[in-house]
């Protein structure tokens, strides 16, 4: 058997398994959030998705206080809540884009941090309810073996953005 | 007859993802359990060809469940793959000491998962 002729088929199989794996992650994230039973379960879903599908055990949700131009810590897992109780919009230029509904990701291998904190921040994800950002999910340190945010992680973050409203607005259906 | 895989995780998100990948990419039959204790009883009843088990779970973690499975005569030779959040040497060593055959790190890569399981069960 000519081994070289098997290579394209092998690569194709690898690619399709990879694509399917990514689709499975995005689907599982969406199903988990949409089927969350209540607010507590929706917050648990965020923790599960961050840990099992993206690769971080350090995650926090900040609620937006538009009147005071700040975000206050609403819920967290794996981070010191005393260290991150409030984020002031004026001191965090990256937040402006997030408050307009666009996520911000730390580039792979970049030393730049997304927030003015010692803890590495890898993603700032707006939680959208009725088209407006009502909260921000912050993903801190990734697992040591994970080099950075991958394209599939961005897709999962988009699901978080669109489907995690119930975690912060209990009467929101999605 | 298709091979049977026992998937063990307290996260419904992970179980859903693993099951979806395996059902679409392999002919394996999947059964699930939600923690280590549940996994032992399911494994005794179902006699799976392979166990894919998370480490951090309520009631009984994956290391302990793995150790206990090895004391069951029907499960003593069943391949057990642990799913860990860490790839550090110490952590991996603890997994092998508990009797697992292999490990895979989170977040799970679809291709790696299928390839690893196929190396034990065939295609």
């Amino acid at each position: 058997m000519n081994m070289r002729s098997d290579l394209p088929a092998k690569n194709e199989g690898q690619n399709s398994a990879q694509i399917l794996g990514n689709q499975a992650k995005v689907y599982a994230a969406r199903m988990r959030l949409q089927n969350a039973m209540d607010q507590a379960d929706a917050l648990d879903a965020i923790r599960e998705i961050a840990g099992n599908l993206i690769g971080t055990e350090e995650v926090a949700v900040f609620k937006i206080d538009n009147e005071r131009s700040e975000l206050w810590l609403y819920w967290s897992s794996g981070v010191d809540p005393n260290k991150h109780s409030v984020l002031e919009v004026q001191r965090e230029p990256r937040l402006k884009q997030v408050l307009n509904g666009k996520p911000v990701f730390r580039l792979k291998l970049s030393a730049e941090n997304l927030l003015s904190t010692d803890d590495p921040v890898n993603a700032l994800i707006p939680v959208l309810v009725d088209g407006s950002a009502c909260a921000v999910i912050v993903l801190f340190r990734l697992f040591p073996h994970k080099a950075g945010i991958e394209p599939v992680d961005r897709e999962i973050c988009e699901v978080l953005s669109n489907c995690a409203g119930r975690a912060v607005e209990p009467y929101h259906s999605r | 007859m298709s091979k049977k895989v026992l998937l063990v995780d307290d996260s419904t998100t992970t179980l859903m993802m693993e099951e979806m990948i395996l059902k679409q990419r392999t002919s394996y039959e999947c059964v699930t359990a939600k923690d280590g204790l549940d996994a032992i009883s399911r494994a005794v009843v179902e006699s799976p060809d392979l166990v894919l088990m998370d480490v951090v779970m309520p009631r009984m973690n994956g290391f302990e469940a793995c150790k206990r499975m090895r004391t069951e005569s029907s499960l003593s030779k069943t391949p057990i793959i642990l799913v860990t959040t860490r790839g550090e040497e110490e952590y991996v060593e603890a997994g092998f000491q508990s009797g697992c055959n292999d490990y895979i790190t989170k977040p799970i890569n679809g291709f790696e998962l299928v390839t690893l399981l196929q190396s034990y069960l065939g295609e």
Side-chain angles (χ1 to χ4, degrees):
Chain A
M1 185 183 284
N2 184 346
M3 294 298 283
R4 281 174 186 245
S5 65
D6 288 345
L7 282 176
K10 193 178 176 186
N11 287 339
E12 200 178 303
Q14 180 172 346
N15 286 341
S16 67
Q18 191 61 59
I19 290 166
L20 173 71
N22 292 345
Q23 287 172 342
K25 284 182 184 181
V26 175
Y27 177 82
R30 182 173 289 117
M31 286 298 109
R32 179 68 180 90
L33 282 166
Q34 289 183 343
N35 293 327
M37 288 180 293
D38 51 30
Q39 186 181 18
D41 194 34
L43 288 166
D44 203 42
I46 293 173
R47 183 190 55 76
E48 266 188 42
I49 290 164
N52 296 317
L53 304 184
I54 296 174
T56 173
E57 287 177 324
E58 300 179 15
V59 57
V61 176
F62 290 84
K63 254 194 155 177
I64 299 168
D65 185 338
N66 284 318
E67 284 179 16
R68 296 169 66 179
S69 295
E70 63 184 27
L71 285 74
W72 48 270
L73 183 65
Y74 185 67
W75 170 92
S76 68
S77 177
V79 293
D80 179 357
N82 297 317
K83 239 175 121 179
H84 306 285
S85 55
V86 175
L87 298 175
E88 290 174 36
V89 177
Q90 283 188 326
R91 287 189 60 203
E92 308 290 353
R94 295 291 204 158
L95 277 178
K96 284 178 186 150
Q97 183 182 332
V98 185
L99 298 182
N100 286 327
K102 304 271 184 211
V104 175
F105 301 102
R106 186 184 198 178
L107 296 175
K108 255 188 189 179
L109 307 176
S110 165
E112 185 197 11
N113 208 355
L114 301 182
L115 295 176
S116 55
T117 165
D118 296 338
D119 297 324
V121 174
N122 279 282
L124 300 169
I125 308 153
V127 178
L128 303 176
V129 171
D130 299 328
S132 302
C134 66
V136 176
I137 298 173
V138 180
L139 303 181
F140 288 89
R141 188 177 285 102
L142 300 174
F143 292 152
H145 55 273
K146 180 146 174 131
I149 294 286
E150 308 280 346
V152 64
D153 301 324
R154 292 179 183 233
E155 285 185 57
I156 296 166
C157 288
E158 195 180 322
V159 172
L160 282 169
S161 194
N162 291 313
C163 304
R166 200 172 187 187
V168 280
E169 300 284 344
Y171 301 107
H172 186 66
S173 61
R174 287 276 187 274
Chain B
M1 196 172 153
S2 64
K3 300 281 173 66
K4 192 185 284 184
V5 178
L6 173 61
L7 307 173
V8 189
D9 205 302
D10 59 317
S11 158
T12 51
T13 318
T14 306
L15 289 177
M16 195 188 302
M17 177 197 59
E18 291 171 348
E19 207 167 348
M20 194 173 160
I21 293 169
L22 295 180
K23 280 191 172 167
Q24 292 203 26
R25 292 293 304 183
T26 71
S27 57
Y28 307 151
E29 180 191 346
C30 296
V31 288
T32 61
K34 292 202 69 106
D35 59 53
L37 269 182
D38 188 23
I40 294 166
S41 52
R42 281 309 302 265
V44 168
V45 173
E46 299 280 354
S47 299
D49 296 289
L50 183 145
V51 179
L52 178 70
M53 182 157 57
D54 189 23
V55 172
V56 181
M57 293 182 290
R59 298 213 300 165
M60 183 187 289
N61 68 34
F63 292 150
E64 187 58 33
C66 189
K67 275 184 203 164
R68 298 233 192 145
M69 282 183 190
R70 289 302 183 223
T71 65
E72 295 282 340
S73 57
S74 62
L75 301 170
S76 62
K77 292 198 168 68
T78 305
I80 299 175
I81 297 170
L82 290 178
V83 182
T84 76
T85 54
R86 296 171 178 209
E88 287 103 327
E89 205 173 322
E90 258 177 50
Y91 208 69
V92 170
E93 186 54 35
F96 285 122
Q97 281 184 2
S98 73
C100 82
N101 297 73
D102 226 320
Y103 75 96
I104 188 168
T105 50
K106 288 184 184 181
I108 286 178
N109 172 301
F111 174 70
E112 280 176 15
L113 176 68
V114 170
T115 307
L116 183 61
L117 265 61
Q118 284 177 340
S119 72
Y120 285 93
L121 301 176
E123 294 183 26

